[in-house]
Amino acid sequence: MSRIYSLAYLTSNTLTPPQAVRLAGELGYAYVGLRLLPNAAGAPQQFLIGQPEVLRETVAAQRDTGVGVFDLEIIRIAEGFDARSYQPLFEAGAALKAKAVLVAGDDTNEARLAEGYARLCEAMRPYGMTADLEFMPWTAVPDAKAALRIIHAAGRPDNAGILVDALHVARSNTTLDDLRTIPRELLHYAQICDAPTQAQRGRPFSVEEMIHTARCERLMPGEGGIALQALFDALPPDLPISVEVVHLDRMAQIGQTEWARQALAASRALLEPQA
């Protein structure tokens, strides 16, 4: 089965939004992911919100290439979360016809986190995007079971979602059965990459090591020890795939275009071996 692929922000993090769209079109990705808000104060991002010229250029690139915007990053739900403060992101997403917003959960009070998530879904509803909660082992949503529990506690809004990242599956307490338990309507896309496993290292990963790998040093599919074939066999076969492979040193060596090309080729080789 032919898959739909999106060029994730981390795989194209040297590019502006219109540049990312045009590169995706050149290489054969159907979508891009854009990080319009940083994942931490002062961290790298792409600048488009409040810059109407960049928005116009991005929309023009979409029109020229046929490439869509799949997801926008990132909303973090912490104590004191105010969904209304993200309206500029929602408006940008509507203008770009984005499908999803990536959400991280940081509030360690799970009931309050679920309430914040419910408010976010309600605030996003007029903009036509899903709020895809990504479980990450160092956050307050450490695994797939926690993500599903929070969504149920939030009343299971009709624009709720769970984002499955292969790296976080491998480094959390998530099992393949946990993935199979996620209702199909909550799955909108999944992220692919590879990395060394705990079994290969012979010891658990520290939080600092997990964050470093996630943000700076992922491997191409097939280069690490994650059982990617089994993982993606546990997910719907028609699920769109966000190719999220970042390795800052290797990207600098071969260049942005070649890196994104190789990431797509490696993903296709693993997920479509007969193609």
Side-chain angles (χ1 to χ4, degrees), residues 110-162:
E110 190 168 294
R112 190 171 57 207
L113 174 55
E115 291 171 2
Y117 181 76
R119 292 197 304 272
L120 174 62
C121 288
E122 181 63 27
M124 287 179 55
R125 185 168 285 108
Y127 298 92
M129 294 178 289
T130 58
D132 289 72
L133 185 61
E134 182 176 16
F135 58 90
M136 296 174 261
W138 61 86
T139 69
V141 190
D143 53 40
K145 285 183 178 178
L148 190 56
R149 190 169 61 243
I150 289 162
I151 286 175
H152 280 300
R156 198 160 158 178
D158 58 11
N159 58 342
I162 293 176

Side-chain angles (χ1 to χ4, degrees), residues 190-209:
Q191 294 173 328
I192 192 170
C193 71
D194 212 335
T197 63
Q198 181 174 312
Q200 290 174 312
R201 285 288 182 91
R203 61 173 176 81
F205 293 97
S206 68
V207 168
E208 291 74 18
E209 288 172 327

Side-chain angles (χ1 to χ4, degrees), residues 33-54:
L34 302 176
R35 180 172 289 176
L36 302 187
L37 294 175
N39 62 357
Q45 67 176 101
Q46 293 163 309
F47 293 94
L48 179 146
I49 295 173
Q51 299 191 16
E53 182 58 33
V54 178

